[in-house]
Amino acid sequence: MIYKQFFEIFGGISFGGISAFVLIKYFSQKIFENYMLKKIETHKSELEKLNISHQIKFSSLHVQRAEIIKNLYDYLYDYKLAILDFFDDKLDDQKPKEHLQYKLDQWTKAVIDFGNTFHRNKYFFSIQDSELMNAIHNEMGKINRGTKGFLSSYNIVDEQINAINDKTPKFLNLKAESDQLLNKILDLEKELESQFRNLLGVEINH
């Protein structure tokens, strides 16, 4: 009888203890799950903020790169105009010295603007794009050196002006060489334009 009561009491205690343990375990799991859910939500929120921040930074860089590309094209366009103006357009009869100096100043400005913009922002471009721009810049340098050599072959400005106006053989040879180099620049420019269009996501219609 005593043993029966003992086991009944013991069994009751055991069942109560197990029930309490199960409840504690259940609530502990719920508390832990709620804690983890909150942590996950917080983490997701932080990731979303980081993602938005990254998108803003990426968008800003993309805008900067587009602006740099536009500037490079503007300077390259100015450079080509300066060359064509030097070789194909006549000097002002009233003020030939000033007009010649103006042409050379415009030429020089375009060269400096293109070179400085490219070299200061090379990190915005792929190796392939950088190589293309380097090739263009090298062809520019050949035309510049040839023109400098032509002008320096004369002792005074009046002789330079006469050689340009009279289209002497030396001037025509320089023009022919410059035309060939300019054609190379135009070919490189087309390739570079294709690369930049892809970079900016602009569709090319054939």
Side-chain angles (χ1 to χ4, degrees), residues 50-200:
L50 286 172
N51 186 44
I52 292 171
S53 176
H54 174 73
Q55 289 178 358
I56 292 171
K57 289 179 181 178
F58 181 78
S59 176
S60 177
L61 287 173
H62 202 65
V63 170
Q64 288 182 51
R65 182 160 46 184
E67 186 65 26
I68 291 165
I69 291 170
K70 178 185 178 300
N71 290 338
L72 284 170
Y73 265 95
D74 287 345
Y75 299 144
L76 186 57
Y77 181 77
D78 291 342
Y79 178 79
K80 291 182 294 183
L81 281 184
I83 293 175
L84 294 173
D85 183 45
F86 180 83
F87 287 108
D88 296 330
D89 287 349
K90 293 181 179 180
L91 291 169
D92 186 345
D93 292 334
Q94 303 299 319
K95 297 181 179 180
K97 292 182 182 180
E98 291 82 353
H99 192 196
L100 176 59
Q101 187 59 53
Y102 172 78
K103 289 187 177 189
L104 295 176
D105 287 345
Q106 293 299 108
W107 185 330
T108 301
K109 182 179 184 303
V111 171
I112 292 173
D113 287 342
F114 181 89
N116 286 345
T117 301
F118 165 54
H119 288 295
R120 286 179 180 175
N121 299 282
K122 287 176 72 173
Y123 55 87
F124 274 103
F125 306 111
S126 67
I127 294 175
Q128 184 179 6
D129 292 339
S130 293
E131 287 176 348
L132 280 170
M133 283 185 280
N134 260 327
I136 290 173
H137 203 234
N138 289 338
E139 297 302 329
M140 285 179 167
K142 292 176 184 177
I143 298 175
N144 301 343
R145 288 190 295 273
T147 305
K148 182 179 179 181
F150 164 74
L151 293 173
S152 62
S153 66
Y154 299 96
N155 295 322
I156 57 176
V157 177
D158 287 335
E159 291 179 348
Q160 295 174 348
I161 292 170
N162 289 334
I164 294 171
N165 286 337
D166 296 341
K167 299 190 184 300
T168 62
K170 188 182 292 187
F171 175 81
L172 293 176
N173 287 337
L174 175 64
K175 183 181 184 304
E177 291 174 5
S178 297
D179 286 343
Q180 290 180 356
L181 293 171
L182 191 58
N183 286 333
K184 287 185 180 180
I185 289 177
L186 293 174
D187 290 338
L188 290 167
E189 183 185 19
K190 289 178 183 177
E191 189 174 350
L192 187 62
E193 181 179 350
S194 177
Q195 294 293 329
F196 284 159
R197 283 179 179 271
N198 290 333
L199 179 68
L200 297 175

Side-chain angles (χ1 to χ4, degrees), residues 33-49:
E33 287 174 3
N34 289 334
Y35 170 77
M36 290 303 295
L37 285 173
K38 288 181 180 179
K39 291 293 288 183
I40 290 170
E41 289 301 320
T42 301
H43 185 60
K44 283 172 63 178
S45 178
E46 290 175 353
L47 285 176
E48 288 173 358
K49 289 178 182 178

